Amino acid sequence: MSLDWQGAWLAVIHHPLFGIAITLGAYQVVLAGYEKTRWVFLQPVLVSMLVVIGVLVSCGLDYAEYRKSTEILSILLGPATVALAVPLYLNLRRIRQLFWPVLTTLVIGGVFATALCVGLGSVLGADHMILMTMAPKSVTSPIAMLVAEQIGGVAALAAVFVLITGVIGGIFGPGLLTLAGVQSPEARGMALGLTAHAVGTSAALQEGEECGAFAALAMSLMGVATALFLPLAVSLVA
């Protein structure tokens, strides 16, 4: 009796749980490697994404099938985001004490991050559509896609800029903050959450609960401020 190895292999890669398995497996392996080596270029989100892409290409699976098999992970993004309220609550007293510094950082950092991005893009010759797509790069993808569409950008491309921003911030942000002599967990968290959204918040949580709490706060406030004020600012300038 001979085994149908090809049939068995096809059954495995087309199993409804295959996408979840390779996603979680790749992330856990890369995360373990990162925690052991602390090598900045072994950023879990970036490297695990490349691993998953490699597996999909080598197995001949298209994105539609992968996305369908990982829908549960997309659904769990909501509760995972809400769970960021836990470190916020645990550090609520400290956040209240630093209300004005937090607000000042949000205003200055948010305006600078957006204006610098648009300004550099304009100097380098990017057209209006690209500029409007890049403008909300420092917030989470759902907000960035919605805002980009409102102000004349491309939602799908905005998600790409968000991913690039988060990965770069997650890789280089902690090191640059250390190089600049920033040791305060509150300041480090605000900087990472403000500029690198969820990926930066993930990096901040690895540094400590307090750092993660301020990163989650900065990410949330930056998202709200961008959704409210960026379309208004664009309409006033246009």
Side-chain angles (χ1 to χ4, degrees), residues 127-137 140-163:
D127 60 28
H128 179 76
M129 182 270 291
I130 294 296
L131 294 177
M132 294 302 98
T133 303
M134 291 193 301
K137 65 176 179 54
T140 54
S141 293
I143 297 176
M145 294 171 70
L146 179 63
V147 172
E149 202 167 23
Q150 288 179 343
I151 62 178
V154 179
L157 189 56
V160 176
F161 286 129
V162 168
L163 176 62

Side-chain angles (χ1 to χ4, degrees), residues 79-93 95 205 209-210 212-214 216-217 220:
T81 304
V82 173
L84 291 173
V86 174
L88 279 175
Y89 174 76
L90 294 176
N91 292 274
L92 189 58
R93 179 179 297 179
I95 291 172
L205 284 168
E209 186 180 272
E210 188 174 8
F214 277 86
L217 176 65
S220 303

